[in-house]
Amino acid sequence: MKELVVNLNTGLHGDLAVPGDKSISHRSVILSSISEGTSHIHHFLASDDCISTINAFREMGVNIDLDGDELTVEGVGLHGLKAPQTKLDMGNSGTTTRLLSGLLAAQKFTTNLIGDDSLSKRPMKRVSEPLSMMGASIETTDGHLPMTINPGHIKAVKYELPMASAQVKSAIILAALSADEDSVIIEPQVTRDHTETMLNQFGNNVIERAGNEITVHHQPKLTAQDFNVPGDISSAAFFLVAATLVPKSHIVLKNVGINPTRTGILDVLIQMGANIKLLNQTNGSEPTADIEVTYTPELKPIDVTEESIPLMIDELPLVALLASRADGHSTITGAEELRFKETDRIKTVVEELRKIGIHIEELPDGFSIDGSNDWQVVDSSLDSHGDHRIGMTLAVAALLLDVDVQLKGEDAISISYPQFFDHLQHLSD
Ligand code: S3P
């Protein structure tokens, strides 16, 4: 249980470089492991989830050195992984599990995947079904982990994703690399495209995109790379929202990834009238910017609908919090995918925000929220439910309360942002 006390007399202020992007960090380990040569990755996110990915590849014979946020990976090539001697422990990481399922489906050895309680409740049929269509042999435990992946001969596929999921898309892409011909994947809505972007960096023209249709060229030659992981916009989002809501705040978040498949939170903040400026933009394959945020006393309500959900999927608990402070009624709909995250985030957000007096209702696919600046705390004992993003959202909400609150399960925050409380302290000193 952590006492959430931050002295905010002068608001949040100063500069901060947020840690490396989680999605990109996972993919950097995966793609450098299956490429030829030694890759050097800078500003890697050494959080619990990404360590699960590193450990899995170490178990499969890849030499990986992690020193602070510098990662060195001696790639073994597309067909060079070795049978692990133990079960692969995915920890809490859905990204590790789903992306690795695709890669492991094409190996000549059997792997057993296990995970923690939360991960073992999350749906895996969404990957085992399409991979089985491609010739994989996967046994799940009633659609969940533990999962056994047997050696398979992967055939090319044309697959239309039934849900907008970058993890499922990436699993199929990674399997398709080892197929006998080129594969085609169709997304219902565009989701984060880091796998595609990074694959084209490691190999020539591996992925081609035309609208929502992605072609994966089979058996590419992947070569080691040297690159920087941009700051994680999903981590920056906690401070973007905090500085918007906490009086007198003025901060600059440095070198944040602004890939357009991830910037839904910026669109929401701007639509609600927040004072946000992008500075020093770069235009590489993963564009970045410094983001300047100033306290905004009045926010407009917002209606977030299905099309934009994938662009801010992990930030929706924060969007709900922003809407709770807006001047009027907001809705978030088309977000049923939130029910399949580390917790059922529709349920946990509603349960926890109601404790601090926020008027929020659960919808089957999202939230209905009446904004107010006058929250009457009914229960000051908050709970992350073991979900890192719920824990951090509640820590931001606590900045707006004039009563002391406690957070249970704060250790979950190290899943994606081990330095979160230090960084909050840094911005409030
Ligand atoms: C991720 C994709 C998203 C996101 C998760 C990371 C990724 O999950 O919520 O935090 O790195 O591909 P889904 O693909 O299940 O939407």
Side-chain angles (χ1 to χ4, degrees), residues 197-207 220-223 225:
T197 301
M198 202 182 286
L199 265 171
N200 280 346
Q201 212 171 331
F202 276 81
N204 267 337
N205 221 17
V206 183
I207 303 283
K221 179 173 163 48
L222 303 175
T223 311
Q225 298 294 310

Side-chain angles (χ1 to χ4, degrees), residues 22-23 26-27 95 98-99 122 126 164-168 170 192 313-314 337 341-342 345 389:
K22 180 155 88 70
S23 293
H26 281 297
R27 286 156 173 82
T95 308
R98 302 222 176 90
L99 270 60
R122 297 179 66 185
R126 51 178 60 200
S165 165
Q167 293 179 353
V168 179
S170 301
R192 64 190 68 194
I313 184 73
D314 292 335
E337 274 296 306
K341 298 298 175 189
E342 286 79 338
R345 285 187 179 154
R389 297 198 202 281

Side-chain angles (χ1 to χ4, degrees), residues 18 20 79 104 109 114 142 158-159 178 210 246 260 301 312 328 330 409 420:
V18 294
H79 304 290
L104 297 175
F109 50 81
I114 54 169
D142 204 14
K158 178 161 186 175
Y159 187 69
S178 297
V246 172
M312 60 181 105
S330 297
F420 174 74

